[in-house]
Amino acid sequence: MANMRRRHRRRTGMLGLVLSLGFATGCANLGGSPAAAPSPVDKGAEESLSSAVTAASVAGLEYVAMGSSFAAGPSIPTVKEGSVAAACMRSNNNYASIVARDTGAKLTDVTCSGATTANILTASQAGQPPQINAVKSTTRLVTVTIGGNDVNYLGSVVSYSCQNKGEANCGTVSTSAIDTALGAVSGRIQNVVKAVHKISPQARVFLVNYMSVLPDGAACTGVPLTASQLAYERTVASRLADATAAAATVTGATLVNVAAASHGHDACASTPWVEKYKPASGRATYHPNEAGMKAVASLVKYMIGTSGPLSAGWTRCASEGGTCTFTGTRAVAFGSGAYAYKTATGSTPCTSTSFGGDPAADTIKTCYVALAGGPYGYTKCAAEGGTCKVPGYNRDVVFGTNGNFKHLVTSGSVACTSAKFGGDPAANVVKSCYIAPDGAPAGWTKCAAEGGACAAVAGQPVMYGAYGAFNTAVATGSTACTSASFGGDPISNQTKSCYTAPAAPAGYKATACASQGGTCAFTGKRTVAYGAKGRYVYKTLSGGTTCKAAVFGVDPLYGVVKSCYLTY
């Protein structure tokens, strides 16, 4: 399977995440040492892990965006200032710009329409040097959409469309040249990732592949391709997506699988993320529109870890505008599908102002408070200052309290101290150590033993590991339950398994209010989750709703029957 991989311990603390979604595009040839693959925990070694990344921790990080037009955003108002940006048709509202605004990351955007992998690695374009020059040793986030121009994907689609409309100067299509380029493009994308990691070994690289441009079935009026041309170009798109996924697998980059997530939003769809051959004035042929860029940005943020589902064990404490009240000092989450987190004592207003921003715009949000004591399902093994005895070999041990924890995968005995866990997760509060249980992450269901195959569907998140230590992938089909498929061994010398997400998102009622096509009945305004198998979108609606993708604007899991859920 081609998968979206992410090194991941089960996040049980203040910043609890599980995972989901993804997308990217284009590259050229350069040497360089390969990116360091996630290493397993060796016998006798320990790995210290803080809570999951949030918007607060992404804020201020140096972020470089590279790629071609599907990253630059031609025709999407407004164009960034400067002659190079204008020549590259680089939009203020491309996905990288949205991600940076929403997270506070410090963006250097060198995306450029028409770019190939050579323009990232070796060749100047539109008055700017190779895009890789923007990456510094201090860079920590990199997104790349590249490869389409290397294989003449959209160029050939445009040429066919032009020819079929009887227009002049349409250009020709060489299928043999495209086939040759497709054979080389994965290696070129790999070279891009290697070049980034040669400059900044600590940078997280996200390969954002191209969204679906062409329909699965017959073409519409605005996409003038013959049936044979459609079939051929769909093959090109599929091979390009596979090449990008293979590059992610080889280099340890994270695949953001827009190609899968955008199914049903092609140029012929009722809610398209890309334009037709003859778009409205000022729009770019077969390129993303504003809705498409916003969707890509949401998926990129999700993969970066700035937003994501609530983890199990949190309790609803207030609706937006109310006051969340509790005892002691606790971690509190605020949002709907995407969450902001803070630590408070006694109570906190359930408002965007109180949480430093709006984690889920245009929805009515909810506040949830973390469990008192240890993470959901974990067992106390020592008080602060004591010694936690770890049974067996290697377990996830956490240090903290009330939703704020540091993680350590270790064996033997471990001192229950801030020094041992690399910092104090909850200052001025008495803490303890807790040890992970065996088996599934809270609420998840076993789908395969190690070495077997998890019967997942494309886009479905799958977790692999044991004893609280898990790597997560977003499947593109049936998933091999092996360390190789999940980017490394999350916990060495333990028998692992694979798990799939619960039916309902955490924080929402376990019983659906409607199945796909049915009616979810409620009064007043409510935020509704729509999706299945760990993939959801959220929207605030009034007086009930039909449970279908047309209402929510996105199909979060293509080809799977979905349901609607309400908060408690």
Side-chain angles (χ1 to χ4, degrees), residues 420-496:
K420 183 63 178 177
F421 283 80
D424 189 343
N428 303 315
V429 179
V430 176
K431 293 165 281 289
S432 297
C433 283
Y434 301 87
I435 193 163
D438 188 10
W444 289 54
T445 302
K446 183 176 177 179
C447 60
E450 185 173 5
C454 177
V457 297
Q460 181 178 359
V462 180
M463 296 184 80
Y464 166 76
Y467 296 108
F470 297 93
N471 287 351
T472 304
V474 176
T476 57
S478 182
T479 303
C481 191
T482 63
S483 295
S485 290
F486 286 81
D489 188 343
I491 182 166
S492 60
N493 297 308
Q494 294 287 3
T495 300
K496 291 161 281 288

Side-chain angles (χ1 to χ4, degrees), residues 77-112:
T78 54
V79 177
K80 291 188 176 182
E81 294 183 1
S83 59
V84 170
C88 287
M89 295 182 280
R90 191 183 298 148
S91 172
N92 276 310
N93 289 298
N94 59 25
Y95 72 74
S97 298
I98 297 170
V99 168
R101 283 196 296 270
D102 288 353
T103 65
K106 294 168 61 178
L107 174 64
T108 300
D109 187 353
V110 290
T111 58
C112 195

Side-chain angles (χ1 to χ4, degrees), residues 170-193:
C170 295
T172 60
V173 177
S174 171
T175 57
S176 61
I178 291 174
D179 187 64
T180 299
L182 282 166
V185 73
S186 183
R188 293 179 178 182
I189 299 173
Q190 291 172 39
N191 287 335
V192 169
V193 180

Side-chain angles (χ1 to χ4, degrees), residues 246-525:
T249 298
V250 169
T251 61
T254 298
L255 177 67
V256 187
N257 197 357
V258 177
S262 59
H263 262 116
H265 296 282
D266 54 78
C268 290
S270 58
T271 54
W273 289 355
V274 292
E275 299 290 341
K276 293 180 170 64
Y277 175 57
K278 294 290 186 181
S281 178
R283 297 296 176 172
T285 296
Y286 294 137
H287 273 73
N289 55 29
E290 287 94 328
M293 277 297 181
K294 288 178 181 178
V296 175
S298 294
L299 293 175
V300 171
K301 286 189 296 178
Y302 206 100
M303 296 304 294
I304 289 173
T306 60
S307 61
L310 196 68
S311 55
W314 293 64
T315 302
R316 183 183 184 278
C317 58
S319 296
E320 185 173 6
T323 299
C324 176
T325 303
F326 43 88
T327 58
T329 300
R330 305 270 196 99
V332 185
F334 168 72
S336 58
Y339 295 88
Y341 296 83
K342 64 183 289 186
T343 299
T345 301
S347 67
T348 183
C350 189
T351 63
S352 295
T353 300
S354 178
F355 283 81
D358 188 341
D362 303 320
T363 62
I364 295 174
K365 289 159 280 290
T366 302
C367 279
Y368 301 86
V369 64
L371 285 172
Y376 185 84
Y378 279 52
T379 302
K380 183 176 178 179
C381 60
E384 185 173 7
T387 299
C388 175
K389 295 182 179 180
V390 181
Y393 186 85
N394 276 352
R395 301 287 178 93
D396 182 36
V397 181
V398 299
F399 170 68
T401 189
N402 301 347
N404 295 310
F405 301 99
K406 292 278 189 176
H407 292 244
L408 189 69
V409 175
T410 186
S411 60
S413 297
V414 58
C416 190
T417 63
S418 297
K420 183 63 178 177
F421 283 80
D424 189 343
N428 303 315
V429 179
V430 176
K431 293 165 281 289
S432 297
C433 283
Y434 301 87
I435 193 163
D438 188 10
W444 289 54
T445 302
K446 183 176 177 179
C447 60
E450 185 173 5
C454 177
V457 297
Q460 181 178 359
V462 180
M463 296 184 80
Y464 166 76
Y467 296 108
F470 297 93
N471 287 351
T472 304
V474 176
T476 57
S478 182
T479 303
C481 191
T482 63
S483 295
S485 290
F486 286 81
D489 188 343
I491 182 166
S492 60
N493 297 308
Q494 294 287 3
T495 300
K496 291 161 281 288
S497 296
C498 286
Y499 303 91
T500 53
Y508 283 67
K509 294 181 179 179
T511 301
C513 62
S515 296
Q516 185 174 341
T519 299
C520 178
F522 54 87
T523 58
K525 283 187 175 181

Side-chain angles (χ1 to χ4, degrees), residues 19-45:
L19 226 236
S20 246
L21 284 153
F23 10 358
T25 73
C27 312
N29 217 353
L30 185 79
S33 57
S39 58
V41 181
D42 296 325
K43 183 168 178 150

